Amino acid sequence: MNSFNKPSLLNFEGNTSENLRRLKHYTLQYCIYLTASGSEKKDDTVKIAISLNFAGKDTFEVFNTFQFPSDDEKKVNKVLEQFEWYCNPGKNSLLETPILADNARLK
């Protein structure tokens, strides 16, 4: 396993769009590593462990904040989805609606 380039550490500092860009770059590096090392055939729990090991301590701390339904924490695609959501949580339309209504009244 040591003969292949390993994915770089993940960093979640900065704005969300930059974090999402870094996550996508990391995910690509991670997939290339899994293929090159033959690890893509291993169980998802092993793939998750490989990813968390390469991504670094901060990423592991973020992972520990995730709440998964049932056995989703053992599925690599669900873990990656959680990281994507963490980097880009989206907009809260419930909070934005009253603001839009208030702005309409001011006009």
Side-chain angles (χ1 to χ4, degrees), residues 9-10 12 51-64:
L9 293 175
L10 265 174
F12 295 112
S51 177
L52 292 174
N53 181 60
F54 288 154
K57 178 184 170 199
D58 293 341
T59 304
F60 184 73
E61 289 177 10
V62 170
F63 172 77
N64 280 332

Side-chain angles (χ1 to χ4, degrees), residues 5-6 12 15 17 24 31 38-39 43-44 46 48 51 53 55 60-62 70-71 77-78 85-86 90 95 97 107:
N5 290 329
K6 297 176 179 134
F12 295 112
N15 66 45
S17 62
K24 289 184 180 196
C31 289
S39 298
D43 188 63
D44 273 8
V46 174
I48 293 167
S51 177
N53 181 60
F60 184 73
E61 289 177 10
V62 170
S70 61
D71 284 342
N77 62 332
K78 296 297 184 181
W85 185 87
Y86 179 82
L95 293 177
T97 303
K107 292 181 181 181

Side-chain angles (χ1 to χ4, degrees), residues 8-62:
S8 56
L9 293 175
L10 265 174
N11 179 353
F12 295 112
E13 295 178 4
N15 66 45
T16 56
S17 62
E18 181 63 19
N19 290 341
L20 187 58
R21 185 196 67 75
R22 283 192 294 254
L23 176 65
K24 289 184 180 196
H25 182 76
Y26 171 83
T27 303
L28 179 60
Q29 288 180 319
Y30 167 69
C31 289
I32 290 170
Y33 176 83
L34 288 179
T35 302
S37 67
S39 298
E40 81 277 2
K41 296 175 184 158
K42 294 187 177 182
D43 188 63
D44 273 8
T45 55
V46 174
K47 293 179 197 176
I48 293 167
I50 290 169
S51 177
L52 292 174
N53 181 60
F54 288 154
K57 178 184 170 199
D58 293 341
T59 304
F60 184 73
E61 289 177 10
V62 170

Side-chain angles (χ1 to χ4, degrees), residues 79-99:
V79 170
L80 293 174
E81 283 176 10
Q82 285 286 326
F83 277 110
E84 188 170 335
W85 185 87
Y86 179 82
C87 290
N88 189 23
K91 297 180 180 178
N92 188 338
S93 60
L94 291 176
L95 293 177
E96 292 176 1
T97 303
I99 294 170

